[in-house]
Amino acid sequence: MTVSGGFAGVNRQLVLRGDGTVRTTDRGRSAVRRTTPAQFTSLRTLLGDPALADVPAFSLDGGAADRFRYTLQFDDRAVTTDRSSHVPALDALIDALEKWLPTD
């Protein structure tokens, strides 16, 4: 997942690896942390939600300014959203992944 945009020009990246590690990058700093088995299972369950198959590739509000843009890559697809539309399966996945991003 890449989170970009906003007033401050954010550009954060997160990669969930198959070994249960999470690699984050923010402002040139990188970190790698390990999920617990329960956390990894939860994230994999969210990624496997069949409802994600129906999520449009782009869900953006062209009139909105300074919104974050989320781009997720999974199952050989890329999905980009600014979260202006409520998409429960995608929102749940983003919420869970965002918890792994560094906070400043």
Side-chain angles (χ1 to χ4, degrees):
M1 177 174 78
T2 300
V3 183
S4 60
F7 182 73
V10 167
N11 188 1
R12 297 177 174 164
Q13 297 176 341
L14 176 146
V15 176
L16 174 64
R17 296 181 177 158
D19 65 357
T21 57
V22 176
R23 182 179 184 272
T24 58
T25 306
D26 182 22
R27 297 182 188 147
R29 296 182 313 232
S30 293
V32 177
R33 295 185 284 157
R34 180 165 295 282
T35 63
T36 65
Q39 290 168 326
F40 186 66
T41 297
S42 176
L43 291 169
R44 294 288 300 167
T45 299
L46 290 168
L47 282 163
D49 187 334
L52 289 174
D54 297 327
V55 172
F58 294 95
S59 174
L60 303 168
D61 179 353
D66 296 328
R67 294 188 72 103
F68 289 123
R69 182 176 287 199
Y70 300 82
T71 301
L72 295 93
Q73 294 180 326
F74 57 92
D75 293 337
D76 297 324
R77 347 180 14 211
V79 173
T80 301
T81 182
D82 60 9
R83 300 188 81 178
S84 57
S85 299
H86 182 61
V87 182
L90 188 58
D91 290 341
L93 178 58
I94 291 170
D95 288 344
L97 291 172
E98 271 191 319
K99 293 176 185 175
W100 289 92
L101 290 172
T103 57
D104 297 327

